[in-house]
Amino acid sequence: MDGLSGSYPHLEVVQRRRWFSFGSARNSLFGHHQRCNKGTISTCIRHIRKHRRESMAKSGGEMSTADEVVRVFALSDLHTDYPENMEWVKNLPALQYRNDILIVAGDVAETYNNFVLTMSILKDRFRQIFFVPGNHDVWCRREQGRYLDSLEKLNALLDACSMLGIDTSPSVVNDLGIVPLFSWYHESFDKERDITDVWIPPLEMACKDFHACIWPCNLTSKDLSLALHFDGMNVRYIHAVEEVQRKCNLPKIIGSDCLEERLRYIHGAAEDGSACHIFGHTHFCWDALLDGIRYIQVPLAYPKERKRRMNGGEEWLPLCVYDSSSGGFLTSFFPCYWSDYYAKNERNPDVTELAPWVARFYKRR
């Protein structure tokens, strides 16, 4: 399935008390004030608020108070090249989210035109939007040669975000830090035993990225080069790492050690529920706590997937993951079939026998 291929968007959501310094990304966020390049995140936030108050006073504007209610919603894998999905976006309430923040964790659309239309609609619905690209966003197969390669298209998408007023770099909203992270998968991320007793199509056949993306000759997902290139973008500027059920070669096209190291560096030893990793890409609803970090995926996904998904999506998306009036991050986990399954059943990577609902699609060797 092409929906299981590609880059994966990620957006870290971190409460101030757990937002440790994060190197170059911090310099990007706080570079306008020399004192913000040193010290703790609390110091940085204090100075950036002072800077904003002074700027607003000079311009005659009004500064929102720290008591302002902040709600953050999450959504991924919109795939608005499907007319049903584009219609869903257009039907989002015009006023309900006007004071809210939306995190879009990638795979908005395959074509540039649909991407711009989708993000324009969302920007009209929400006060502020954070975005990171997914694999489908940088596909070139339907762009009629407009872009030399996927990196050129990526730059075009980021330029469009800038023109639309959509954030692709770290920011502080009251006491909440939101840190977009760019990433791309690499095969060596999968360190578990391969499935050998059934015939599984090679990645080049199963994953459309190998045909729909165009990369410079020095970049490939077969080694670390592409993953390192995207990770290097985090100096300025998230789709994700997750524990998923064993299914074909999926682990080889969903994860990056670079991303794991970076998000652990940002969050540190988070143990108080104040660290949250929003991601997309695999089209599975997911809400689970792993090593102190909460992982949430809320994909719109393909129309046919929503029809067979237990909890649908059209009715309850986007999902509110943070509400300052209710104490911050949601305390209860929302129902997700697979994360609920693994909360009760321990994974055993050494068992490579396919699950019955998967095995029926494959022939034994």
Side-chain angles (χ1 to χ4, degrees):
M1 295 174 57
D2 59 317
L4 301 180
S5 61
S7 167
Y8 40 102
H10 319 263
L11 283 144
E12 300 303 317
V13 183
V14 196
Q15 281 183 288
R16 180 180 63 177
R17 63 183 183 277
R18 298 302 307 171
W19 195 5
F20 295 94
S21 60
F22 51 94
S24 297
R26 179 185 62 181
N27 294 336
S28 172
L29 173 59
F30 302 114
H32 66 269
H33 197 297
Q34 183 178 3
R35 294 184 65 182
C36 288
N37 289 324
K38 300 179 181 179
T40 65
I41 188 64
S42 299
T43 302
C44 293
I45 292 177
R46 187 164 58 250
H47 285 300
I48 199 170
R49 280 181 172 167
K50 180 180 178 182
H51 175 82
R52 287 173 176 169
R53 283 196 299 268
E54 293 173 349
S55 298
M56 293 296 292
K58 290 179 181 179
S59 63
E62 296 182 359
M63 183 69 184
S64 60
T65 67
D67 295 330
E68 178 186 9
V69 174
V70 175
R71 295 199 306 172
V72 179
F73 290 79
L75 181 62
S76 74
D77 302 281
L78 283 83
H79 294 289
T80 54
D81 299 294
Y82 288 89
E84 302 97 315
N85 288 17
M86 181 66 82
E87 192 64 22
W88 181 88
V89 172
K90 292 179 178 179
N91 288 332
L92 284 172
L95 301 177
Q96 182 175 339
Y97 306 108
R98 294 302 295 271
N99 296 320
D100 299 325
I101 297 168
L102 176 65
I103 290 174
V104 181
D107 278 3
V108 173
E110 181 178 340
T111 67
Y112 175 87
N113 290 341
N114 280 338
F115 174 86
V116 172
L117 174 58
T118 304
M119 298 305 283
S120 298
I121 296 171
L122 292 176
K123 190 64 174 68
D124 186 57
R125 301 292 194 273
F126 289 83
R127 184 186 78 184
Q128 187 173 8
I129 295 179
F130 289 85
F131 165 76
V132 285
N135 56 308
H136 286 250
D137 297 315
V138 296
W139 282 9
C140 294
R141 63 176 184 171
R142 295 178 180 171
E143 297 292 4
Q144 290 78 47
R146 179 187 297 181
Y147 306 106
L148 178 65
D149 55 32
S150 292
L151 294 184
E152 185 176 5
K153 182 178 181 182
L154 173 60
N155 288 331
L157 298 180
L158 297 179
D159 287 343
C161 286
S162 178
M163 289 186 290
L164 291 171
I166 293 170
D167 291 291
T168 57
S169 56
S171 184
V172 174
V173 182
N174 287 7
D175 285 347
L176 188 69
I178 300 179
V179 187
L181 294 177
F182 283 31
S183 64
W184 197 271
Y185 59 80
H186 55 90
E187 289 187 32
S188 58
F189 173 79
D190 179 19
K191 300 175 179 62
E192 299 176 354
R193 293 176 56 187
D194 288 336
I195 298 171
T196 57
D197 55 348
V198 298
W199 183 82
I200 296 175
L203 290 176
E204 290 79 0
M205 289 181 59
C207 176
K208 290 187 179 180
D209 287 351
F210 291 91
H211 312 288
C213 292
I214 303 173
W215 303 113
C217 59
N218 62 322
L219 297 179
T220 175
S221 59
K222 305 292 284 187
D223 57 29
L224 282 170
S225 59
L226 197 52
L228 289 172
H229 178 85
F230 272 81
D231 185 62
M233 296 179 65
N234 291 319
V235 173
R236 295 174 53 204
Y237 304 109
I238 200 169
H239 226 289
V241 178
E242 66 166 314
E243 293 287 341
V244 298
Q245 71 272 27
R246 190 77 179 174
K247 182 176 180 180
C248 310
N249 283 326
L250 177 59
K252 298 184 188 301
I253 54 174
I254 64 166
S256 166
D257 293 326
C258 305
L259 176 65
E260 174 71 9
E261 292 173 4
R262 195 169 285 276
L263 72 91
R264 292 289 164 182
Y265 180 67
I266 290 173
H267 292 303
E271 297 178 352
D272 58 2
S274 62
C276 183
H277 182 59
I278 307 295
F279 67 96
H281 179 52
T282 61
H283 292 204
F284 296 114
C285 291
W286 196 270
D287 189 358
L289 190 68
L290 179 64
D291 297 333
I293 297 177
R294 189 169 179 178
Y295 292 77
I296 296 178
Q297 178 173 224
V298 281
L300 182 60
Y302 301 144
K304 62 181 181 181
E305 291 174 328
R306 291 197 301 278
K307 291 178 182 178
R308 66 172 182 255
R309 197 161 64 186
M310 293 72 163
N311 50 351
E314 298 100 327
E315 302 83 7
W316 53 268
L317 286 173
L319 178 72
C320 182
V321 297
Y322 180 93
D323 187 341
S324 62
S325 66
S326 300
F329 290 110
L330 300 184
T331 56
S332 59
F333 290 77
F334 80 98
C336 301
Y337 184 85
W338 284 115
S339 54
D340 291 348
Y341 176 87
Y342 284 113
K344 301 174 183 176
N345 301 276
E346 184 178 358
R347 290 184 72 246
N348 188 348
D350 292 328
V351 175
T352 59
E353 182 73 19
L354 290 178
W357 56 88
V358 176
R360 63 192 180 95
F361 295 104
Y362 296 90
K363 293 181 179 180
R364 290 192 171 275
R365 292 185 183 276

